[in-house]
Amino acid sequence: MATGRTIAPGRSVDAMKHDGQDTPPPSPSATPDARLRLIVMRVVRVVVWTGLACIVLPAVLLLGLTLRLSTGPIDVTPVVRLMTPLSVLHGQGASRRQGRLTVRQVRLGWNALHAGLRSPLEVWADGLAIMSADGTVANSIGHGHVVLDTPALVHGDVVLEQLSVNGVRLALARNPEGDIGLDLGSGTPEDSTHSHGHPVDLSLLRRIIVSDAQVTFSDQISHRVWRTRDASANLHVISHQGQVGASGSIGFMLEGNGKHLVLRGEGEQDAPGSINWTLKFDPVSP
């Protein structure tokens, strides 16, 4: 004889299993355990995807940046402007803002796609200026190009490989103690001869190019002012058995104390560790 259950009118429920047995009631602990497993799986899934995103996303961004830099320099001026002006000198009181560095345009280049990850990082900068406390331009560089060692940058070191500057207007001064530093006019900090930034390593510097440079040197000991005009240099730095020299060419015009001097020089490496320089002076006038 079949068994069944009384149900409300209008509804029908099959209270029998296919084998003719009643359906057992659900276990009281089955639903909480299932929910706990579901929550755990969701948490694990979120953690896994977050970990993958933290690994993959930076790699994708780095790859995209590498591909973009390999096609040509990229303008990073908007990013640099967030960090400028930079104080290159620190004085006391009102003079603390002496030596504010500004730049008009900065571009980066890194040919890692064609030359490998160890290829150097190149930086182009236009319109560099160091402002004095009153806002006047005390020193400036029209155009600069530096080549930096990339592996050293990864370790936090700034290692310079090449330096090229054009349109240099530099003012230097020697204080009564004999120290030479930037001349920022009245109120120049006493520590203007010291750098407060990260030191630059010149041990790998192999090329120096300077053109259209004018340097003014004020000597507070002799109370004289010397000026160089049309200064230029194209030098190859050579290292041999711990000794460092340079070959290439230099030239400048020196004026001061009523005198006028023009110097030109050329240097050639005639043997390992030996560089022969020839200097030519125009007649001193007057």
Side-chain angles (χ1 to χ4, degrees):
M1 180 176 178
T3 61
R5 295 182 181 179
T6 302
I7 60 177
R11 298 180 58 188
S12 62
V13 176
D14 185 6
M16 297 291 295
K17 296 171 59 179
H18 293 290
D19 57 2
Q21 300 297 325
D22 289 339
T23 302
S27 172
S29 61
T31 300
D33 289 344
R35 290 179 179 177
L36 180 60
R37 287 195 299 270
L38 181 60
I39 293 175
V40 171
M41 291 301 297
R42 288 179 177 177
V43 172
V44 171
R45 188 180 299 112
V46 171
V47 172
V48 170
W49 281 107
T50 303
L52 289 175
C54 293
I55 297 174
V56 175
L57 185 59
V60 172
L61 293 176
L62 180 59
L63 178 60
L65 180 61
T66 301
L67 294 175
R68 174 59 184 88
L69 290 173
S70 297
T71 61
I74 182 174
D75 192 345
V76 294
T77 305
V79 178
V80 174
R81 285 178 178 172
L82 297 176
M83 301 179 289
T84 57
L86 296 174
S87 295
V88 297
L89 295 178
H90 301 274
Q92 299 293 330
S95 64
R96 285 192 59 82
R97 292 183 61 82
Q98 285 275 12
R100 292 171 293 155
L101 176 64
T102 62
V103 60
R104 186 175 67 249
Q105 184 183 40
V106 180
R107 294 173 295 157
L108 292 180
W110 186 36
N111 193 20
L113 183 63
H114 303 96
L117 296 177
R118 297 181 65 87
S119 60
L121 179 70
E122 299 187 61
V123 182
W124 293 266
D126 296 316
L128 290 98
I130 298 179
M131 314 292 289
S132 61
D134 58 5
T136 59
V137 178
N139 300 266
S140 64
I141 298 177
H143 175 75
H145 174 217
V146 296
V147 178
L148 304 174
D149 183 71
T150 303
L153 284 176
V154 174
H155 294 87
D157 299 323
V158 180
V159 180
L160 199 61
E161 294 185 356
Q162 296 183 29
L163 170 66
S164 176
V165 290
N166 174 266
V168 179
R169 302 295 181 266
L170 189 63
L172 302 176
R174 183 170 69 166
N175 60 26
E177 289 73 28
D179 298 325
I180 299 176
L182 292 175
D183 185 3
L184 300 176
S186 59
T188 300
E190 294 297 330
D191 59 352
S192 63
T193 60
H194 301 88
S195 172
H196 295 269
H198 195 284
V200 178
D201 189 347
L202 303 179
S203 61
L204 297 182
L205 183 61
R206 292 295 177 265
R207 189 73 186 275
I208 303 174
I209 300 176
V210 179
S211 60
D212 187 22
Q214 297 184 18
V215 181
T216 301
F217 179 73
S218 300
D219 190 352
Q220 298 179 12
I221 296 179
S222 63
H223 302 288
R224 293 178 179 177
V225 178
W226 300 87
R227 295 183 178 87
T228 63
R229 301 182 184 275
D230 302 325
S232 62
N234 191 340
L235 302 174
H236 295 268
V237 181
I238 301 173
S239 298
H240 181 73
Q241 296 181 351
Q243 296 182 339
V244 179
S247 63
S249 62
I250 61 172
F252 62 86
M253 178 188 304
L254 179 63
E255 297 176 340
N257 196 29
K259 306 296 182 181
H260 178 90
L261 171 67
V262 177
L263 179 144
R264 299 182 182 88
E266 294 184 356
E268 295 183 359
Q269 184 180 14
D270 49 13
S274 176
I275 302 175
N276 184 26
W277 273 89
T278 302
L279 300 179
K280 298 179 181 179
F281 295 88
D282 286 358
V284 179
S285 61

